[in-house]
Amino acid sequence: MEEKTTSGYKRVMSYDDILDEIGEWGKFQAISIGILWITALTPGIHILMHVLTGFQPTNGFRCKVENCDNGDWTYQDNADLADFEDNCRYIIPIINQTYNFCTRNPEGKTEVCSTNSEYAYNSFEFDETFTTKFDLVCDNEFKFSLVGSIYMVGLMIGSSTTGYISDHYGRRLALLFCITVSTVSSFVGAFMPEYWSYLTLRFLTACGAVGLFNESFTLTVELVGSKQLSTVFPWITVKSLHGNSIQIPYAIGGAILGVAALFIKNYVTLQWVLSACMAIQFPLWFFIPESPRWLISKGKEEQAKQLISKMAAMNKKQICLDNVELLGNASSEDSEDKKKEQKQQLGFADLFKTKSIRIYTIVMLLNWPIISLGYFGLGMSMAQLGDDKLVSFILGALVEIPGYLICMLVTDVWGRKPFFISSLMFTGISCITAGFLEEGVLRTTLALIGKLFAAGNFSVVYMYTAEMYPTIIRNTAVGTFSFAARIGGIIAPFLAIYLPKFQAPRDNGGGF
């Protein structure tokens, strides 16, 4: 479209028009999205960190028995006093006052451990976790679940905060904020000497970690176009390919956490080492570009033109922007009134402004918490599958990748909505069926299938949501629904811990 001005005719181009000339996919996008894979990987470590750093003792524990356990006592000193059916009780001993030793009462009468009891732990997969350090067992077991729930509250607060920063001050600044808050808080949190300070740092870590993925995803889909087809999968658009594949590093992050735990058996060391490794994000941030769509939507034409020229040069394309006016996220046929409208500041209330948008918003506000409950509940319970807890945890992370790939391969052909509904259905069927089976290969397989489709749910819902809203409010929408999703996430840790206790004794406290 051309407009007459005092200096002659000026071309009006949208970002999609520009991509037609400089390429929807090229070297610039490849390098940028490659870096964003790193920032999308780290939240996979952050969010499941407490599952392993707080790993609960699997081989039993017992409380201190007065007049029997003295000095620097251990689980093995009077192991025969442990109640193997209920670790929160102990066998009332027979005390030999003459020789100062205790023996198990043959009558087997038990006593409940007191609220302020000290505990000792039998050897298990870790040398020490924050569960064993802070004695988060028996009456204090809820505090372990509280760590996961408070983390979800942090994600909830962080979603709205980083969403606001992103839409008003830029994707890139929001990403720097998230990198700093999450990395520093996680590193410092490893050294907290007591429970409540550790909990506070987990909350702050979450406030930053949520934006690491949200901003990586948003930047990814805003750097590419939606017309060009992938050369590898010619039925998939470039946008769909990379909008779905950006989920893969998140799963890899969870697997890296599990692999690290195979070698590092102390929770403090495990957390600070992985947190220190995440500092690589700071130098990489300088190579991450701002979103051209965001710059254009905010009327920052000079900055947008400089970035577009850089993109064109790296993609080995030619474009002249001297006589070009950049037009928001609209087509070149939009009127002047439309251009002014797109420069307005939009907020949460605009998610309900029109009837069609209002329906989308209400439906997504209902679905996101359900998806979150299933996904995080499964993720936090994966270490309970199988005999090797850490291998099960790693498999639970890696099984997400096929879910993302299936989503990527079929949604452009089948559609977002059918895949979304089918994933919800298969997740529910798999997990409900697994809940009625005895522990074994079939039960584990069904739980992993449930996790696979739960991951597919998360993959498609981000893409589905992002495509419903215009650029100027897209991140507010994603941030709002991510905020709502934490309701399910807050409930998930308690279900992961307490729901298995209501199953038959065959589960031995396990769960899925």
Side-chain angles (χ1 to χ4, degrees), residues 48-332:
L48 293 176
M49 179 78 76
H50 82 280
V51 177
L52 296 188
T53 57
F55 201 88
Q56 295 178 302
T58 54
N59 295 330
F61 59 89
R62 67 180 185 86
C63 58
K64 181 177 182 179
V65 180
E66 295 298 328
N67 301 317
C68 293
D69 295 313
N70 300 300
D72 191 17
W73 64 286
T74 66
Y75 178 90
Q76 285 74 23
D77 290 340
N78 287 294
D80 59 335
L81 299 182
D83 183 348
F84 303 113
E85 298 295 324
D86 183 354
N87 291 317
C88 296
R89 304 180 72 91
Y90 63 93
I91 306 297
I92 299 174
I94 296 175
I95 303 175
N96 188 314
Q97 299 288 357
T98 304
Y99 296 101
N100 193 29
F101 71 89
C102 298
T103 59
R104 184 185 181 95
N105 190 326
E107 296 181 4
K109 292 183 178 180
T110 63
E111 183 70 43
V112 178
C113 299
S114 69
T115 304
N116 298 318
S117 287
E118 297 177 30
Y119 292 87
Y121 303 88
N122 199 3
S123 59
F124 66 114
E125 287 83 355
F126 286 86
D127 296 333
E128 183 182 54
T129 65
F130 70 74
T131 294
T132 60
K133 181 176 181 179
F134 305 139
D135 289 333
L136 306 185
V137 294
C138 298
D139 290 341
N140 287 318
E141 187 177 28
F142 77 94
K143 290 183 178 179
F144 171 79
S145 300
L146 187 60
V147 173
S149 294
I150 289 297
Y151 189 92
M152 292 297 165
V153 173
L155 295 182
M156 181 183 288
I157 302 301
S159 292
S160 57
T161 302
T162 57
Y164 178 86
I165 295 173
S166 179
D167 279 342
H168 288 77
Y169 301 103
R171 317 314 195 201
R172 196 165 174 265
L173 185 62
L175 192 57
L176 178 61
F177 168 82
C178 294
I179 291 170
T180 304
V181 172
S182 61
T183 303
V184 173
S185 297
S186 183
F187 183 85
V188 175
F191 303 100
M192 291 298 98
E194 48 78 43
Y195 174 76
W196 296 107
S197 59
Y198 183 85
L199 187 68
T200 300
L201 269 296
R202 283 297 292 166
F203 169 80
L204 293 176
T205 300
C207 288
V210 64
L212 292 176
F213 179 79
N214 285 356
E215 299 310 314
S216 298
F217 170 81
T218 302
L219 269 168
T220 295
V221 297
E222 291 186 347
L223 282 172
V224 299
S226 56
K227 301 175 186 177
Q228 182 178 327
L229 296 176
S230 165
T231 54
V232 179
F233 305 106
W235 66 92
I236 303 174
T237 64
V238 169
K239 181 178 180 180
S240 182
L241 173 66
H242 294 285
N244 281 289
S245 62
I246 192 65
Q247 318 266 353
I248 293 175
Y250 182 92
I252 293 173
I256 289 173
L257 172 63
V259 171
L262 289 173
F263 302 97
I264 305 175
K265 300 301 183 180
N266 181 279
Y267 90 93
V268 173
T269 305
L270 178 64
Q271 185 163 329
W272 81 252
V273 167
L274 288 177
S275 300
C277 291
M278 293 183 211
I280 193 176
Q281 295 172 102
F282 287 108
L284 289 177
W285 176 82
F286 290 97
F287 299 95
I288 296 173
E290 183 54 88
S291 164
R293 294 185 189 274
W294 180 82
L295 289 171
I296 295 170
S297 72
K298 291 296 181 180
K300 300 178 181 293
E301 288 205 6
E302 289 306 313
Q303 294 179 46
K305 288 181 179 180
Q306 290 177 13
L307 180 57
I308 291 167
S309 297
K310 182 179 179 181
M311 292 174 65
M314 289 189 68
N315 289 349
K316 297 182 179 180
K317 302 286 184 178
Q318 297 291 329
I319 187 170
C320 180
L321 299 173
D322 291 341
N323 246 355
V324 171
E325 180 181 350
L326 301 178
L327 175 62
N329 194 36
S331 65
S332 299

Side-chain angles (χ1 to χ4, degrees), residues 50 56 141-142 144-146 148-149 369-370 372-382 384 443 487-503 509-512:
H50 82 280
Q56 295 178 302
E141 187 177 28
F142 77 94
F144 171 79
S145 300
L146 187 60
S149 294
I370 294 171
S372 178
L373 175 61
Y375 176 79
F376 289 115
L378 284 164
M380 292 174 184
S381 300
M382 276 297 153
Q384 303 296 335
R443 183 170 181 247
I487 297 172
I490 290 168
I491 299 171
F494 287 95
L495 289 181
I497 290 298
Y498 290 108
L499 193 58
K501 296 180 183 297
F502 296 98
Q503 296 180 331
F512 67 91

